[in-house]
Amino acid sequence: MGVQESLIQDSVSVLDYHQPILVEPSISVREVTESLRLSGRGCVLVMDQNQLIGIFTERDLLLRIMGEGLSPDIPVHQVMTKQPTTVQRTETIAQVIKTMRSGGHRHLPILDETQTPVGVLSVKHIVKYLADHFPQKVYTLPPDPDHAPPTREGA
């Protein structure tokens, strides 16, 4: 099966995505940052009464806290991205790539049939999927396909 066919047929459920880190809206950005540091993850999902109300990412930390000089002791709900774009685990990888590209998203919460977060998908997961499933296509591409070197490099 080719790359295009796989992207159209495979769903998010085949990806090796992370379990979400769930936090309450009142937790401080400082505590969230520590959770991100310890887990090695790039975002947390903000939940209020079992409802997803926001996402807080490394980008939010840089742009909203550090960039605006805000205190890291403020509650995360004040600086989170409200009503984040989400994907269903039944969506195809092609649909997810389109959603990420059109919205400029690096992280997307994955919801199940009951709208409960079951994971977080990052750009890294998409790249890993492509590299694992299509190594010949991925590893043999020149850095810029339109400007391949005129001669072979190396020995």
Side-chain angles (χ1 to χ4, degrees):
M1 184 178 337
V3 176
Q4 286 182 314
E5 294 86 14
S6 292
L7 293 175
I8 292 169
Q9 290 180 4
D10 286 347
S11 71
V12 169
S13 62
V14 304
L15 297 174
D16 186 24
Y17 54 81
H18 292 134
Q19 293 298 313
I21 298 174
L22 307 175
V23 299
E24 295 183 2
S26 59
I27 190 171
S28 74
V29 170
R30 184 181 305 278
E31 291 172 284
V32 169
T33 303
E34 183 65 9
S35 292
L36 292 175
R37 187 183 70 76
L38 291 173
S39 67
R41 304 278 176 80
C43 71
V44 298
L45 303 182
V46 184
M47 303 288 289
D48 189 20
Q49 299 179 14
N50 295 323
Q51 292 282 93
L52 176 65
I53 63 168
I55 187 171
F56 183 82
T57 68
E58 296 166 323
R59 190 185 325 183
D60 294 325
L61 177 65
L62 289 172
L63 298 178
R64 295 183 179 162
I65 299 298
M66 298 176 83
E68 295 178 16
L70 299 176
S71 168
D73 296 315
I74 63 173
V76 71
H77 74 84
Q78 291 183 11
V79 290
M80 69 184 183
T81 300
K82 295 176 172 77
Q83 300 175 347
T85 301
T86 61
V87 296
Q88 300 291 316
R89 60 179 164 191
T90 55
E91 287 185 51
T92 67
I93 295 172
Q95 289 170 316
V96 170
I97 291 171
K98 184 176 179 183
T99 299
M100 287 180 142
R101 184 168 186 247
S102 66
H105 305 294
R106 294 180 186 163
H107 298 92
L108 290 174
I110 304 168
L111 305 180
D112 68 9
E113 306 76 35
T114 65
Q115 303 307 302
T116 302
V118 294
V120 175
L121 186 61
S122 76
V123 172
K124 288 189 281 187
H125 297 115
I126 301 291
V127 171
K128 183 180 182 321
Y129 168 85
L130 293 171
D132 287 349
H133 287 77
F134 312 104
Q136 273 307 109
K137 299 264 187 207
V138 173
Y139 294 130
T140 60
L141 285 175
D144 184 350
D146 296 329
H147 296 91
T151 59
R152 225 173 68 152
E153 295 180 7

